[in-house]
Amino acid sequence: MATLNYNVNRVDPIIYKECMDQATLLQANYGGRAAQNAKIEQIFFMDWGDQGKVKRQMDNAKITISPDGRNAANGAWRLMIASDPVFSVPSDANDIAAKAKSEPIEKFANQMWMTAGKVAGSPIHYDAVLSAILYSDVNIAVTSVEELTKYAMGKKPAFQARIKDIANRTPYLFNVWSPTQCYPRFDRLGLNAHYRVTKMNVAEILNTYGSLAGFLEGEPKNKEYNLREWWDLEFHCIGIEGKDQPILAEAHELPFIPIVSAVTEGSVTLWSKPEQQRQPFLYAVSKSGFWERQNLALSVLYTMLFSIGANPMFLYEAKDPNKKLIVDYSKPGGMVTIELGDKYGPLPKIVIDPSVLQGLSTADQKIIESTMYRQALGEPLGGNPAGFMVSLLNQAGRLPLSATKQRLGWAIAEAVELAFKWMRFEKKKRTTSYKGKSTTLKASDIPDPLELEAQLEIDLPQDQLQMANIANMISQGENPLVSQKWARENILHIGQSDEMTVEIWREKAAQLMAIRYWMEQKAQLDQMMAAAQQAAQAPINVNTIPAGAQPGKLQPPGGLPPEMLQGGGVVGVPGTQTQAIPQPPPGQQIPPELMQGGGV
């Protein structure tokens, strides 16, 4: 079986040069996308590039930057991370072999994805969603933890223990790379090459690649380099910009590229320029310039308020220039006495020109139209609208995210599919664990081909209640429209439907066993009470009173346990002290049909 062999002797300088020549040309083709991403980052990080010019042209300018673009992007991000991705093996897209193994595969996928997020310190889909919204570009790399253990050999014990702990929890890791660092290349069959450039210091490079980067030993640990990594269908190369010695250059022998690169809004087939292929959430705001107009109008508005609004509010014109105005505040509101011919009144001034406010209002409205209506984020409507109208706007307001949601779900599912392909390629059994539950999967249990889906729903609590009602309506009755399994998977987005059915059966069985236990206890108690009552009603033969017993006192009948006696009386016998009959615990009721004839 072919495996990845990261041997320093397999660094081929010729392969490295050929791959990096392709990488340089590919990176040059993405110049327009880099400028587009930089502009969108300015909006998201509220970094207005023209504020320096405004300060130079306007004294005491009060620079005010609009948060609308950032708020819209963050609102969309928060909507899409409201629920975790749910992995499923759809029955209508897989063969019989895949259906038979669907439950363990879905469980393994969910646990592996969540564990990879725990290792990374944040759910993987959080960064993937933010990347899709800001850049309309998602790059997810799949890493084999077994390969990382090879780098840990010969390192400090703490480093080895760290890798070993990760290997015990998940066989593969998923890392979301920034699109500003990535340069994918596509053909009609999909991704055929991927190039990445990222800054890393010497300490991080040595911790990641170990002896393969041994030529950096002795350099300052905080010195940064541009790390270059190339993947195509045949070769894998890693090097440092400005260094002749590559870290890695070899044939990777994998039947796939372990990277998922997807455009979530736009098209890689309709347009040739990368900046046109990707149309992010803030694309229209960036191209229209309305964000800059907002900043300008807000800065002018607050500069004028500060400069003019704080000036004197009243005007006093007197014939005698040396005369001072006297205000008598002994009267409510104050009283001013002026001579005939003098003038006193408010100072007429227009602090803000109405055209500034009109321009700001237009920019505000266009930015809302270019992103997402705020009712989708929970903003209330004015007046007293009907409930169905609020619900409709909450749902329709999320339409701008529908394509991003669908394509991002495909990308996440494809990343997990690559992990399963890698497992099948290595022909090994793997184990993953999450929240104390472990799942083991053999390579032979993974069907080929395997179609996996990842549902990434934009759900709020009220949406879940609505979906639950819909699922109940269409799956109940004598002639249901759909099966409960279909309703769970497609309406409620619950993975492992069969496992959910088993849990429901287990709960019902526990309830029936509890009822049966209480019925058995009641039947035994009824028998003992009947026996005690017969013994109490029977005539007492003085000759048969046991030695030491006192005549006139009721003796326990044969077989009656001592706990049935209390204060010299028998439970259930009239005229004696009794104790209460045990009852079922609170919340449990005995059905009437189980109380027939005093038995079960």
Side-chain angles (χ1 to χ4, degrees):
M1 180 188 66
T3 58
L4 291 177
N5 183 14
Y6 289 105
N7 191 323
V8 71
N9 296 324
R10 295 187 62 183
V11 175
D12 190 329
I14 297 177
I15 293 177
Y16 181 77
K17 184 178 184 306
E18 291 178 353
C19 292
M20 290 305 164
D21 287 344
Q22 296 182 62
T24 302
L25 295 175
L26 182 60
Q27 184 178 6
N29 190 39
Y30 276 83
R33 189 202 64 169
Q36 177 174 289
N37 289 345
K39 182 67 177 297
I40 288 179
E41 287 177 352
Q42 285 184 347
I43 299 174
F44 185 73
F45 293 113
M46 300 174 62
D47 184 14
W48 186 24
D50 292 338
Q51 57 181 317
K53 298 179 182 178
V54 174
K55 286 183 177 181
R56 288 193 297 268
Q57 295 178 2
M58 187 186 303
D59 294 335
N60 298 320
K62 303 303 176 184
I63 299 298
T64 307
I65 301 175
S66 171
D68 284 359
R70 177 180 176 84
N71 290 344
N74 272 334
W77 176 72
R78 289 166 184 150
L79 277 178
M80 293 192 63
I81 64 170
S83 60
D84 296 332
V86 177
F87 297 92
S88 63
V89 180
S91 57
D92 57 349
N94 289 273
D95 56 15
I96 298 178
K99 295 177 186 178
K101 300 292 183 180
S102 61
E103 292 291 328
I105 290 175
E106 292 171 357
K107 198 172 185 179
F108 193 94
N110 277 295
Q111 290 183 345
M112 181 171 59
W113 182 263
M114 299 305 294
T115 302
K118 293 284 286 186
V119 172
S122 174
I124 305 299
H125 62 284
Y126 279 29
D127 289 340
V129 170
L130 188 59
S131 177
I133 290 173
L134 290 184
Y135 307 105
S136 186
D137 213 343
V138 178
N139 295 269
I140 304 176
V142 185
T143 304
S144 172
V145 180
E146 183 176 321
E147 299 302 324
L148 294 180
T149 58
K150 298 179 181 179
Y151 296 140
M153 296 177 61
K155 292 191 176 183
K156 296 180 180 180
F159 189 89
Q160 296 182 16
R162 179 188 182 192
I163 298 298
K164 184 178 179 181
D165 176 67
I166 295 174
N168 291 334
R169 297 164 63 188
T170 179
Y172 300 98
L173 297 176
F174 305 93
N175 301 105
V176 179
W177 289 344
S178 172
T180 59
Q181 305 169 350
C182 299
Y183 308 92
R185 189 178 69 190
F186 300 93
D187 57 19
R188 67 178 65 183
L189 300 179
L191 183 71
N192 63 36
H194 191 280
Y195 176 52
R196 182 190 183 213
V197 181
T198 181
K199 283 190 175 296
M200 294 179 66
N201 57 39
V202 172
E204 190 175 358
I205 295 174
L206 290 175
N207 285 336
T208 304
Y209 300 105
S211 59
L212 296 178
F215 57 88
L216 293 178
E217 292 286 356
E219 294 195 16
K221 294 295 188 291
N222 60 347
K223 185 176 181 179
E224 288 189 340
Y225 285 103
N226 284 333
L227 187 75
R228 311 173 69 188
E229 184 172 8
W230 170 270
W231 280 92
D232 61 22
L233 296 172
E234 186 177 2
F235 300 112
H236 180 206
C237 299
I238 304 174
I240 296 175
E241 194 174 87
K243 296 285 187 180
D244 296 331
Q245 174 65 38
I247 294 176
L248 184 69
E250 65 172 0
H252 57 73
E253 301 180 359
L254 285 172
F256 54 85
I257 298 175
I259 301 170
V260 174
S261 185
V263 175
T264 58
E265 188 80 21
S267 175
V268 296
T269 57
L270 297 181
W271 299 285
S272 59
K273 294 182 179 180
E275 62 272 20
Q276 294 175 343
Q277 295 172 346
R278 294 155 179 83
Q279 299 176 16
F281 184 72
L282 298 176
Y283 183 87
V285 178
S286 172
K287 293 292 185 179
S288 65
F290 278 114
W291 182 69
E292 286 82 356
R293 303 297 86 79
Q294 269 189 324
N295 297 337
L296 183 60
L298 289 171
S299 298
V300 170
L301 187 151
Y302 287 102
T303 300
M304 298 298 288
L305 284 176
F306 178 80
S307 301
I308 300 177
N311 286 345
M313 300 177 61
F314 296 95
L315 175 66
Y316 174 51
E317 297 181 6
K319 293 180 180 180
D320 184 1
N322 296 322
K323 183 179 179 181
K324 294 184 179 180
L325 182 67
I326 299 176
V327 182
D328 182 8
Y329 289 105
S330 62
K331 301 291 188 298
M335 184 176 66
V336 178
T337 303
I338 61 175
E339 295 182 359
L340 186 63
D342 291 351
K343 295 181 181 180
Y344 177 78
L347 178 65
K349 55 183 177 179
I350 300 177
V351 178
I352 304 298
D353 191 287
S355 61
V356 176
L357 297 177
Q358 183 179 359
L360 178 59
S361 177
T362 302
D364 292 344
Q365 182 63 29
K366 291 300 179 184
I367 286 183
I368 292 175
E369 294 174 0
S370 302
T371 53
M372 184 170 54
Y373 288 101
R374 293 168 183 170
Q375 282 73 28
L377 303 175
E379 179 178 300
L381 291 173
N384 188 21
F388 75 90
M389 182 182 295
V390 176
S391 177
L392 181 62
L393 285 176
N394 285 340
Q395 297 293 334
R398 304 171 199 173
L399 287 177
L401 300 177
S402 57
T404 301
K405 175 184 74 72
Q406 186 72 16
R407 292 186 180 181
L408 183 58
W410 283 15
I412 292 175
E414 186 180 354
V416 178
E417 283 179 7
L418 287 181
F420 283 127
K421 287 182 181 179
W422 205 329
M423 191 188 307
R424 196 167 53 234
F425 171 75
E426 294 176 325
K427 298 181 181 180
K428 292 183 179 180
K429 180 174 65 175
R430 299 297 186 190
T431 301
T432 182
S433 61
Y434 182 68
K435 291 185 177 181
K437 295 182 180 180
S438 298
T439 301
T440 301
L441 196 65
K442 299 179 181 178
S444 58
D445 293 336
I446 304 173
D448 186 17
L450 172 66
E451 290 292 335
L452 199 66
E453 283 187 0
Q455 297 286 346
L456 194 65
E457 290 302 317
I458 308 173
D459 283 339
L460 296 176
Q462 61 267 27
D463 301 329
Q464 296 177 5
L465 177 60
Q466 183 180 5
M467 293 298 103
N469 292 332
I470 293 175
N472 188 58
M473 289 171 57
I474 64 177
S475 61
Q476 298 295 327
E478 296 182 359
N479 297 309
L481 296 176
V482 298
S483 65
Q484 290 187 349
K485 181 175 182 179
W486 188 95
R488 288 196 192 113
E489 293 180 351
N490 296 276
I491 304 298
L492 301 179
H493 307 292
I494 297 176
Q496 299 88 53
S497 176
D498 293 342
E499 185 175 341
M500 181 65 67
T501 301
V502 173
E503 290 183 10
I504 295 174
W505 288 350
R506 188 181 293 116
E507 291 178 354
K508 289 184 176 181
Q511 293 176 358
L512 292 176
M513 290 178 65
I515 293 174
R516 178 180 178 181
Y517 171 78
W518 288 112
M519 292 299 94
E520 290 176 351
Q521 296 299 313
K522 182 180 182 302
Q524 295 178 8
L525 189 59
D526 289 343
Q527 293 177 1
M528 289 185 290
M529 289 169 57
Q533 189 172 5
Q534 291 177 2
Q537 295 175 353
I540 300 176
N541 189 347
V542 179
N543 297 327
T544 60
I545 296 177
Q550 300 179 8
K553 264 202 169 183
L554 181 66
Q555 301 299 318
L560 189 63
E563 58 267 18
M564 295 300 297
L565 300 177
Q566 180 179 357
V570 182
V571 175
V573 178
T576 64
Q577 300 180 10
T578 61
Q579 64 183 22
I581 300 175
Q583 297 295 322
Q588 295 285 351
Q589 295 183 356
I590 301 174
E593 58 270 15
L594 297 180
M595 296 292 295
Q596 298 176 359
V600 181

